Amino acid sequence: MQKDIIYEDATETAKKIKKELKKAFPKMKFSVTSSKYAQGSSVYVKWIDGPMEDEVKDITNKFKGASVDVTDMKVYKSYEYEGEFYNGADFINTSRKLSAEYKDKIVTHAKTIYED
């Protein structure tokens, strides 16, 4: 039997995401912000270098409070966190950027593999 759903502000969802990212990647700095708008809310997660986007999405996807079905209708869902069920931010967006230094390392490494 599912417990009562706790409705929370996207800011609270963002705090939980930041906590879980810090636990998984303790040395990585993430920017985690929230946005509220007429039709719902979103959380935005940004970082430079560090983990791959799929690794971060493995953590953030469980916090999504909505999805869009095949008819373009928003479908709401709750998520479980520490034994409670929540409905918070509708969508979680992630964005990884690469620094110039990191790009240089990638190019240098690629040259060792592909150059004669």
Side-chain angles (χ1 to χ4, degrees):
M1 182 171 117
Q2 183 172 321
K3 296 180 181 181
D4 291 333
I5 295 173
I6 300 166
Y7 292 90
E8 67 182 6
D9 189 84
T11 305
E12 294 303 314
T13 306
K15 288 177 186 177
K16 290 175 184 161
I17 289 171
K18 187 151 189 149
K19 178 182 173 183
E20 293 302 309
L21 290 170
K22 189 72 173 168
K23 203 183 313 182
F25 309 104
K27 295 181 181 182
M28 191 68 226
K29 182 178 170 150
F30 291 92
S31 167
V32 183
T33 58
S34 61
S35 175
K36 295 168 234 166
Y37 39 86
Q39 299 297 317
S41 60
S42 293
V43 172
Y44 301 91
V45 179
K46 299 177 184 178
W47 70 103
I48 298 173
D49 302 334
M52 301 297 283
E53 195 159 7
D54 284 348
E55 294 175 290
V56 172
K57 283 184 176 183
D58 284 345
I59 294 166
T60 62
N61 279 346
K62 72 178 181 182
F63 292 96
K64 286 183 181 180
S67 61
V68 178
D69 70 11
V70 295
T71 64
D72 284 339
M73 296 291 295
K74 190 189 296 186
V75 179
Y76 293 95
K77 67 180 189 79
S78 61
Y79 68 88
E80 184 177 0
Y81 186 76
E82 296 180 348
E84 300 285 347
F85 289 89
Y86 295 88
N87 192 320
D90 295 337
F91 304 103
I92 314 297
N93 304 287
T94 60
S95 175
R96 179 183 186 225
K97 302 268 187 224
L98 298 178
S99 66
E101 298 83 11
Y102 196 78
K103 287 178 185 177
D104 288 343
K105 286 181 183 180
I106 293 169
V107 168
T108 301
H109 181 69
K111 285 180 179 178
T112 65
I113 295 170
Y114 296 108
E115 285 188 348
D116 292 330

